[in-house]
Amino acid sequence: MLALLAKNWAWVLLRGVFTIVFGALAVFWPGITILALVILFGAYAIVDGLTAILMGARRSSGRGFLIVIGVLGVIAGLVAMLWPGITAVALLYVIAFWAIIIGLASIVSGFGLTGDAGGRWLFVLSGLAAVVLGVLLLARPGEGAVALVVTIGFFAIVWGLLTVITSVRLRRLAKELDAR
């Protein structure tokens, strides 16, 4: 799996950049309407899901995990895009469960990596950030759309930064593997 991720480090970087952009938009424009949040989240989840599917499609064995995670992301994005009138609380639950599932998947992936202890913990930390986001959203569903946007934004920025750092490590690893 590590060799596959190293080979596809640019997709990991793209995923991190999209996550940071999503987070920055959410933090710096907290007053956006719920419709804009639905569209923004939907677009992000679809791109993130497609990225995971593409990474899974390039893998010869064990690809199912990445493809399932990608399909879940695309479904979450499509649900948000196809029902833009969704309420803030319903969107909160969609985002919370999606973050928990993706976070747990990242944690499992991190513990499954061998040969790169630092990269392993970056996956685990990014997964923990997503799980914490999901749990916090479930714990306080009535806080309001603006608080939801800002909370999601900050967690997305942290998650995106950890993903970008991971992609840099994967790029270095890819160069090492090519040199061998």
Side-chain angles (χ1 to χ4, degrees):
M1 173 119 175
L2 186 59
L4 173 71
L5 288 170
K7 193 178 203 180
N8 294 293
W9 67 268
W11 287 109
V12 176
L13 175 65
L14 182 65
R15 183 179 185 189
V17 169
F18 272 111
T19 306
I20 292 169
V21 168
F22 169 77
L25 288 172
V27 168
F28 293 115
W29 289 330
I32 63 174
T33 65
I34 194 65
L35 179 62
L37 176 60
V38 169
I39 292 168
L40 187 62
F41 169 75
Y44 166 74
I46 290 169
V47 168
D48 186 60
L50 290 174
T51 301
I53 290 169
L54 288 171
M55 287 175 60
R58 291 178 160 220
R59 188 167 184 189
S60 60
S61 65
R63 68 172 72 180
F65 181 73
L66 282 172
I67 292 174
V68 167
I69 292 303
V71 168
L72 288 174
V74 171
I75 289 170
L78 288 174
V79 165
M81 297 292 256
L82 294 175
W83 291 299
I86 197 169
T87 65
V89 174
L91 176 62
L92 178 136
Y93 286 118
V94 169
I95 294 171
F97 287 115
W98 176 79
I100 290 170
I101 290 168
I102 297 299
L104 291 173
S106 291
I107 292 168
V108 169
S109 292
F111 283 117
L113 291 177
T114 58
D116 183 19
R120 172 187 304 170
W121 290 110
L122 288 172
F123 268 93
V124 171
L125 287 174
S126 70
L128 285 174
V131 169
V132 168
L133 168 64
V135 169
L136 286 176
L137 292 176
L138 290 174
R140 299 187 178 261
E143 292 295 312
V146 172
L148 172 65
V149 171
V150 172
T151 302
I152 290 169
F154 279 119
F155 277 99
I157 290 170
V158 169
W159 188 5
L161 288 171
L162 289 170
T163 304
V164 167
I165 292 168
T166 300
S167 74
V168 171
R169 290 182 60 91
L170 289 171
R171 181 173 183 228
R172 273 192 246 137
L173 180 61
K175 287 182 180 181
E176 289 175 15
L177 291 174
D178 286 343
R180 292 181 193 167

